[in-house]
Amino acid sequence: MKAKWVVRALLLFVVYAAAMFVYIFISDNSGVPETLRGTVADPSTFMSQRELYLSEGYSKTRNFLYFIMTPFEWLIYLVILLTGLSRLFERAGQKSSKWAAGQTTVYLLFLTFTASLVMLPLRYVSYWVSKQYGLSTQPVSEWLKHHAIDLCFDFGWSFIMVSIIYFFIRRSVKRWWMYVWMATIPLMLFYSFVKPEIIDPLYNDFTPIENKQLEEKILALADQAGIPAEHVYEVKMAGQTNTMNAYVTGIGSNTRIVLWDTTLQQLSEGEILFVMAHEMGHYVKKDVYRGMILYFAITFVSFWIVAKLMNRIIRKYGKALHIERLEAIHSLPLYLLLSSVVLFASDPLSNMVSRHEENLADQYALELIGNEKDAISTFQALAKTSLSETNPPLLVKWFRYSHPPLIDRIYNVKKQEKKE
């Protein structure tokens, strides 16, 4: 019976992957609207035929990988449950230590290692695709190093969260989800505060920007925006990627203005100032705090849904999934599976809100800088260096685009220009 469940799950995943392949690679579900063809928003006016070809191939491949990687992770957790591996991991933890913390550590080591090992080929394919299309400049050794840092950080975070979750489950089977949600609020605020100082430097080198004249102009903009920043930081990314980025990170006294060195190398001064004005728009409009409120609201609903579903599934299918009771740590793969499904389903809402905030930040930057030409050339440069779709298919836009498609951003600039 359990073998049949595994086979059915695998077949369902194959059917889903095939459907996504048809949608992304075969269906004609994107393109430049007739009204925008030949305008500055049309990629054929600022990208070469080779760039258009690479953009289409890269975007479709990355979109397909995105839509199969998360469901593949669900499949891993389901198989771990159906095969009884989760129970075996729990017993290994019980044999290795008499302390709850030691048992949790051993269990998570087995679970994390198994899931990561199975996911590694897909993660490597994603890295390899970026490398083949010229976006990634990262050597395999550096990619493995960053992957190892991710694993260590994820393991530490998982240990904290799992300890909190099962602490409250064992004390209140009905209300654990609410207590866990309340516990995550100070944790996330603390993470946002220490991220610029402790987490980010684990991955990259941050140094004060070398171009002091540019720094003065950026800090002048920051002063206009009321951002408490004394320095602009440059992060060395050229050894990892050819893409560009800039952001304002942190909260309170830990706020940082950050530019990738690739951005400094590939954009003009006017374009860089527009990018920074856009990022400052997020700060001025309190998008970080609104984003946190939205995150807390989504996680509140997510914890409630997951708690309800876990109880029902364990009651009905607990025997088949080798789950004896909710409060046993071997139920963790079910929690991870359901949490991932619920959060994946919430992505369209999160992205819709984010795209709205990005539009407002673009408008703020235009008001602050007042240079539509630099805005348009910035978006065109971003499209070329990232090989991103300027007008993606609907499902891709819903699930993947936290920023408006570049064709919309360029079109909005032109509309603003006409109003003036």
Side-chain angles (χ1 to χ4, degrees):
M1 179 66 179
K2 293 165 189 173
K4 287 183 179 179
W5 280 42
V6 172
V7 172
R8 287 172 184 171
L10 287 169
L11 287 174
L12 182 61
F13 175 77
V14 170
V15 170
Y16 163 80
M20 291 310 304
F21 182 88
V22 171
Y23 178 77
I24 292 171
F25 285 97
I26 299 176
S27 300
D28 185 16
N29 46 26
S30 64
V32 179
E34 186 66 37
T35 54
L36 295 181
R37 288 182 183 173
T39 69
V40 290
D42 185 347
S44 65
T45 64
F46 59 86
M47 295 175 74
S48 67
Q49 286 299 314
R50 183 175 183 275
E51 288 170 335
L52 290 170
Y53 174 78
L54 291 175
S55 173
E56 181 180 9
Y58 176 74
S59 297
K60 288 184 175 182
T61 304
R62 291 285 292 185
N63 290 338
F64 179 69
L65 286 172
Y66 168 83
F67 278 106
I68 66 168
M69 283 180 76
T70 300
F72 186 67
E73 192 173 16
W74 305 342
L75 181 64
I76 293 171
Y77 291 134
L78 182 59
V79 171
I80 287 174
L81 288 169
L82 288 171
T83 56
L85 278 175
S86 188
R87 289 284 296 276
L88 291 176
F89 297 159
E90 182 185 45
R91 288 178 193 143
Q94 291 169 345
K95 289 178 181 178
S96 65
S97 175
K98 62 179 181 179
W99 305 104
Q103 294 172 8
T104 300
T105 299
V106 173
Y107 176 87
L108 284 175
L109 282 172
F110 277 107
L111 181 64
T112 303
F113 177 78
T114 302
S116 299
L117 188 64
V118 179
M119 284 293 296
L120 187 60
L122 272 180
R123 296 193 191 283
Y124 178 77
V125 167
S126 181
Y127 157 75
W128 181 83
V129 168
S130 295
K131 189 87 171 173
Q132 291 301 302
Y133 278 90
L135 275 78
S136 175
T137 58
Q138 195 175 36
V140 175
S141 58
E142 194 69 16
W143 177 78
L144 288 171
K145 173 189 169 184
H146 280 217
H147 190 64
I149 293 173
D150 283 340
L151 278 176
C152 293
F153 180 77
D154 290 345
F155 179 83
W157 184 254
S158 296
F159 178 82
I160 294 170
M161 287 303 301
V162 169
S163 299
I164 292 172
I165 289 168
Y166 283 90
F167 173 83
F168 285 117
I169 286 178
R170 287 160 188 158
R171 278 154 182 76
S172 178
V173 175
K174 290 184 178 180
R175 295 186 179 87
W176 66 267
W177 61 274
M178 185 180 295
Y179 301 138
V180 172
W181 175 77
M182 292 170 66
T184 62
I185 294 176
L187 280 175
M188 288 306 302
L189 291 174
F190 176 74
Y191 172 80
S192 298
F193 184 77
V194 302
K195 184 176 182 289
E197 297 282 349
I198 299 175
I199 308 300
D200 290 344
L202 292 174
Y203 294 88
N204 303 108
D205 295 325
F206 289 79
T207 58
I209 190 172
E210 294 179 4
N211 188 336
K212 296 305 176 184
Q213 289 184 338
L214 179 60
E215 182 181 42
E216 287 180 10
K217 293 179 181 180
I218 293 173
L219 290 177
L221 285 177
D223 186 57
Q224 284 182 255
I227 297 177
E230 297 179 359
H231 300 285
V232 177
Y233 289 88
E234 178 180 343
V235 56
K236 307 299 181 184
M237 294 295 294
Q240 300 178 42
T241 182
N242 287 317
T243 59
M244 299 182 287
N245 197 12
Y247 53 90
V248 177
T249 186
I251 57 176
S253 60
N254 267 20
T255 301
R256 272 189 177 186
I257 300 173
V258 180
L259 278 160
W260 285 10
D261 60 346
T262 51
T263 305
L264 293 167
Q265 294 163 9
Q266 298 180 51
L267 295 183
S268 68
E269 183 179 283
E271 292 167 342
I272 291 170
L273 291 176
F274 173 78
V275 169
M276 295 315 302
H278 167 94
E279 298 303 329
M280 291 172 192
H282 288 303
Y283 181 91
V284 170
K285 297 178 182 299
K286 311 296 182 186
D287 288 344
V288 171
Y289 300 101
R290 274 205 297 269
M292 285 184 177
I293 292 171
L294 176 63
Y295 172 80
F296 292 139
I298 288 175
T299 52
F300 179 86
V301 176
S302 299
F303 279 130
W304 177 75
I305 293 173
V306 169
K308 296 294 181 184
L309 289 175
M310 282 189 77
N311 284 325
R312 292 181 184 179
I313 290 172
I314 291 172
R315 279 199 305 268
K316 193 169 183 180
Y317 303 108
K319 187 175 181 181
L321 296 173
H322 294 278
I323 301 176
E324 290 183 351
R325 58 195 189 282
L326 174 65
E327 60 268 28
I329 198 171
H330 63 247
S331 67
L332 180 61
L334 179 61
Y335 168 82
L336 295 173
L337 190 160
L338 293 175
S339 297
S340 181
V341 170
V342 173
L343 290 175
F344 184 78
S346 71
D347 278 349
L349 173 62
S350 301
N351 287 336
M352 180 179 69
V353 174
S354 178
R355 288 194 299 271
H356 175 68
E357 291 175 346
E358 295 296 334
N359 275 326
L360 293 179
D362 283 347
Q363 291 176 20
Y364 177 86
L366 284 170
E367 292 167 5
L368 190 63
I369 299 296
N371 191 325
E372 290 83 4
K373 183 180 178 182
D374 281 337
I376 291 172
S377 62
T378 298
F379 294 140
Q380 291 175 339
L382 287 170
K384 293 173 73 171
T385 57
S386 64
L387 295 181
S388 61
E389 292 173 292
T390 52
N391 191 35
L394 191 59
L395 279 180
V396 173
K397 180 180 176 179
W398 285 355
F399 281 91
R400 295 211 65 194
Y401 276 60
S402 59
H403 289 59
L406 288 166
I407 196 170
D408 292 344
R409 300 178 80 175
I410 295 172
Y411 178 64
N412 287 337
V413 173
K414 293 302 292 180
K415 283 198 302 184
Q416 186 76 15
E417 191 177 25
K418 287 180 181 178
K419 286 181 183 178
E420 296 174 356

